[in-house]
């Protein structure tokens, strides 16, 4: 009898903020956007001019909630022996229907995350790279195990290993 098991799954964390963050969201939605090249805008959308948006007093409720989520994820899900997580950078990213956010990594971080202001039909996609050392290509329609899609929800937070 055959069977299939997943080996070394990657745990992600999802939560919906139920705190009153209307002030925080209003502030974040009103931030000025950075001037970027067309190539950057096409591949990443529009971005706030500040890379430290959660360092503002106006975002303290959201920031504190995210830090609580980071602690829960790091300690209780990933099992890290760490006392208190910190947010190093944070920015607002805005996409219109023609824009995307290309796949990328954050090698200088332990945990990364995305917070959504609104419901969004566009899923965030996580992809695990195939090892091509055998030089054999895999049919991803038959075995799409290297991609996982999550549809965002309003005030939803997704945390994942960087």
């Amino acid at each position: 009898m055959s069977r299939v098991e997943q080996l070394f799954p990657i745990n992600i964390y999802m939560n919906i903020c139920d705190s009153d963050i209307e002030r925080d969201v209003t502030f974040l939605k009103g931030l000025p956007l950075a001037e970027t090249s067309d190539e950057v805008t096409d591949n990443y959308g529009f971005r706030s001019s500040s890379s430290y948006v959660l360092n503002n007093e106006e975002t303290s409720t959201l920031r504190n909630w995210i830090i609580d989520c980071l602690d829960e994820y790091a300690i209780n899900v990933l099992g890290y022996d760490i006392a208190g997580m910190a947010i190093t950078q944070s920015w607002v990213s805005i996409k219109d229907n023609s824009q995307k956010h290309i796949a990328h990594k954050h090698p200088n971080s332990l945990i990364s995350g995305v917070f959504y202001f609104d419901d969004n039909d566009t899923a965030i996609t996580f992809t695990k790279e195939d090892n091509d050392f055998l030089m054999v290509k895999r049919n991803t329609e038959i075995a799409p195990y290297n991609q996982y899609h999550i549809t965002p929800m309003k005030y939803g937070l997704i945390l994942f290993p960087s």
Side-chain angles (χ1 to χ4, degrees), residues 19-33:
S19 300
D20 180 7
I21 56 169
E22 293 303 320
R23 176 186 78 147
D24 307 60
V25 170
T26 299
F27 175 80
L28 291 170
K29 285 184 173 183
L31 289 172
L33 299 177

Side-chain angles (χ1 to χ4, degrees), residues 16-17 35-36 40 50 68 70 88-89 91 97 103 134:
I16 304 291
C17 183
E35 292 185 28
T36 59
V40 170
S50 171
D68 289 344
L70 280 166
T88 55
Q89 286 190 309
W91 57 90
N97 291 336
L134 295 176

Side-chain angles (χ1 to χ4, degrees), residues 40-102:
V40 170
T41 302
D42 289 345
N43 288 319
Y44 296 100
F46 300 101
R47 182 182 180 286
S48 60
S49 58
S50 171
S51 296
Y52 304 95
V53 299
L54 291 176
N55 290 359
N56 293 285
E57 175 59 33
E58 294 87 348
T59 61
S60 61
T61 303
L62 179 59
R63 178 184 179 82
N64 291 336
W65 178 77
I66 291 173
I67 289 174
D68 289 344
C69 291
L70 280 166
D71 286 342
E72 181 179 4
Y73 179 53
I75 296 166
N76 298 330
V77 177
L78 298 177
Y80 293 154
D81 184 12
I82 191 167
M85 297 295 292
I87 298 172
T88 55
Q89 286 190 309
S90 54
W91 57 90
V92 174
S93 180
I94 300 170
K95 312 281 186 282
D96 66 27
N97 291 336
S98 66
Q99 295 171 322
K100 61 185 182 244
H101 202 103
I102 62 174

Side-chain angles (χ1 to χ4, degrees), residues 138-145:
R138 182 175 48 81
N139 183 334
T140 57
E141 290 181 21
I142 294 172
Y145 63 82

